[in-house]
Amino acid sequence: MADSTALIEVIFPDTKLFHSNVVKGVLNTKVTMEEVFEFCQKKGYYGLPTSGDQSKSRWLPASKCPNLNPNASSKPEQPLADFFNSVLTCVQTAAGPFKCQRKWQVAATTPVRGAEVNRKPDLFLPMVDIPGSDMDWRDAACVGEVKSHQNMNTEKSTYVEMAGKVALILYAQDTRHSVVCIRVLGQWIYLTFFDRGGSLSISPVDIHSNPEEFLRILIGVTASPFIDLGFDETITRDQEVQEGETGRRM
């Protein structure tokens, strides 16, 4: 776990996540992840719960975190997307608005267009904020798979599902050489990098017990510039030059 934490910090360092923000947030300094997390705590997003198991800190209702217990009855996709977007809003209040504004959407019930086969990733992060009904593989910055249980079977099945959807992204986006994806199994989040030759996965991170690592992954995959998400920005189209839409619908 220590090696994975160090690798996450190398891939998504504070300087890359926060220091390039044009407009400063409440903290108005060279923000660190520790300061951002402390801000989330002060806003009541994270801490000791007032009911249930009060011995362990966790993401609280103010953050819109759903019940990540395997026995939870509700479908987790939409609540997870709302949770991600809520936390990201809090982070931007602290550190300033991200240059790349993206919001998580749910695609579990609507096939994503732009490929010859119908596939429905549980979570869909478009390159730009677009209506859910317009989801297209050519617009995918990141996708995610969600399961309520974490075990060897769900680890394997979600990896296979994700690999198939990454293949569609690489097929639809000519200038994409790699794709970063997440899987949420219960209260564990997995970060995996795929390229055209293979993949690299980081050890799972407990969303509740390792909040700073979770924040680093969430902010990294959501707000990183195109080049850090696997795009070759030396390749552009005439339309992109005219419209300033670099990275969209390759």
Side-chain angles (χ1 to χ4, degrees), residues 127-142:
M127 299 179 199
V128 294
D129 193 13
I130 57 175
S133 59
D134 292 334
M135 287 183 288
D136 192 302
W137 289 110
R138 293 169 293 177
D139 292 325
C142 178

Side-chain angles (χ1 to χ4, degrees), residues 27-65:
L27 299 179
N28 198 31
T29 60
K30 287 190 174 181
V31 184
T32 66
M33 183 61 71
E34 182 179 2
E35 291 173 321
V36 168
F37 174 57
E38 289 177 354
F39 183 84
C40 291
Q41 289 178 297
K42 291 178 181 178
K43 288 295 182 180
Y45 276 44
Y46 187 90
L48 290 172
T50 57
S51 61
D53 184 358
Q54 301 179 29
S55 63
K56 297 180 180 179
S57 295
R58 59 180 51 247
W59 292 98
L60 300 173
S63 69
K64 297 186 178 180
C65 182

Side-chain angles (χ1 to χ4, degrees), residues 24 26 33 39 42 77 98 108 149 212 230 244:
K24 298 301 179 183
V26 172
M33 183 61 71
F39 183 84
K42 291 178 181 178
E77 293 88 354
F98 301 131
H149 291 76
E212 290 189 39

Side-chain angles (χ1 to χ4, degrees), residues 18 26-27 96 112 125 134 143 150 178 193 216 219 224:
F18 306 124
V26 172
L27 299 179
V112 178
L125 182 71
D134 292 334
V143 292
Q150 184 216 31
S178 62
F193 295 86
R216 194 173 296 278
I219 299 168
S224 289

Side-chain angles (χ1 to χ4, degrees), residues 36 39-41 43 45 85-95:
V36 168
F39 183 84
C40 291
Q41 289 178 297
K43 288 295 182 180
Y45 276 44
N85 292 330
S86 174
V87 170
L88 290 164
T89 298
C90 183
V91 169
Q92 291 182 86
T93 301

Side-chain angles (χ1 to χ4, degrees), residues 147-159:
K147 298 292 182 186
S148 58
H149 291 76
Q150 184 216 31
N151 53 50
M152 291 183 63
N153 289 333
T154 55
E155 283 187 6
K156 181 178 180 180
S157 65
T158 54
Y159 175 85

